[in-house]
Amino acid sequence: MSKHARFNRDEVVEKATNLYWEKGFHGTSMRNLQDVVDMRPGSIYATFGSKENLFKEALQHYAGAFEVQFNKCLEQQPSILGALKLFVESAVVDETGTAPSAMCMMVKTIAELTEEQAELLAETKQLLSGVESEFVKVIREAIVRGELDESKDPEMLARYLQVQIIGLRTYARANNNHQAVLALVDDIFATGPLAGAVAQD
């Protein structure tokens, strides 16, 4: 009979996710990981194979958290556009600065990694593509519900939304002006391509 693991893998990955979010891939050392997840380097390698593999699991864990957060926004708002606006606000304004929210870890990772980490970069790009696909689905639903004009292109709007989130997240990190960022989010749904019948709160 095999021995049970002496650790909870999900807890380890979650702790590693928060550490990678705080320090980035390059800024996180094996010593950092050892201290935070409370595992010896040999155990980390035996379990995950490498720092890169643990980072990949952290990204996948994070993508799951994104899905949960996105669905919560859809549940909290009566309109699709209202839910999208709420999600964008949560994605670009991180009140605590200590834990990842919405898409920010993926955006941060894309900005940090180079072709030297081609596999991790490709994984992150694939996850972001999955996010965009989710946006396409809900934007199509908004059109069906009459919240957006049927002449709108869901794929184009999903790309537009991705670009806005990435840009606003970068701006928020550079300027630390939450009110200005939230005003820009308001503008996206008031006068931009995503302006619709019930976008406002």
Side-chain angles (χ1 to χ4, degrees), residues 68-82:
V68 170
Q69 186 173 358
F70 190 42
N71 287 334
K72 282 183 179 179
C73 291
L74 290 170
E75 292 169 1
Q76 291 172 13
Q77 293 291 322
S79 75
I80 296 290
L81 293 179

Side-chain angles (χ1 to χ4, degrees), residues 35 121 128 160 165 191-193:
D35 292 342
L121 190 58
L128 272 176
Y160 168 81
I165 292 173
T191 62

Side-chain angles (χ1 to χ4, degrees), residues 5 13 16 25 40 47-48 54 80 119 130 149 152-153 174 181 198:
V13 172
F25 174 75
R40 295 181 181 276
T47 303
F48 300 100
L54 177 52
I80 296 290
E119 185 177 349
D149 189 271
K152 298 283 189 177
D153 181 343
V181 172
V198 286

Side-chain angles (χ1 to χ4, degrees), residues 85-196:
K85 181 181 176 185
L86 180 63
F87 175 78
V88 174
E89 290 172 344
S90 70
V92 301
V93 176
D94 177 10
E95 296 290 346
T96 67
T98 58
S101 65
M103 288 167 50
C104 56
M105 183 174 175
M106 287 181 276
V107 172
K108 190 175 181 179
T109 298
I110 288 286
E112 177 192 9
L113 297 182
T114 68
E115 291 304 325
E116 291 183 6
Q117 298 83 39
E119 185 177 349
L120 291 179
L121 190 58
E123 178 75 15
T124 310
K125 289 179 179 179
Q126 182 177 355
L127 291 172
L128 272 176
S129 178
V131 171
E132 190 170 302
S133 295
E134 289 301 311
F135 288 159
V136 171
K137 290 178 185 177
V138 296
I139 289 170
R140 283 176 177 160
E141 179 63 23
I143 292 172
V144 170
R145 293 187 184 186
E147 295 182 28
L148 286 169
D149 189 271
E150 62 182 9
S151 65
K152 298 283 189 177
D153 181 343
E155 285 78 12
M156 184 278 290
L157 289 179
R159 288 193 295 271
Y160 168 81
L161 192 57
Q162 280 271 53
V163 170
Q164 296 305 308
I165 292 173
I166 292 170
L168 286 171
R169 183 66 196 173
T170 302
Y171 181 86
R173 287 180 60 82
N175 294 275
N176 197 32
N177 187 337
H178 292 172
Q179 292 307 311
V181 172
L182 291 175
L184 290 169
V185 174
D186 286 342
D187 192 60
I188 290 172
F189 290 91
T191 62
L194 280 164

Side-chain angles (χ1 to χ4, degrees), residues 2-12 15 37-40 43 47:
S2 62
K3 294 181 179 180
H4 292 291
R6 297 173 60 186
F7 64 93
N8 184 306
R9 190 185 188 99
D10 290 339
E11 289 180 1
V12 169
K15 289 177 180 178
V37 305
D38 194 25
M39 293 173 67
R40 295 181 181 276
S43 297
T47 303

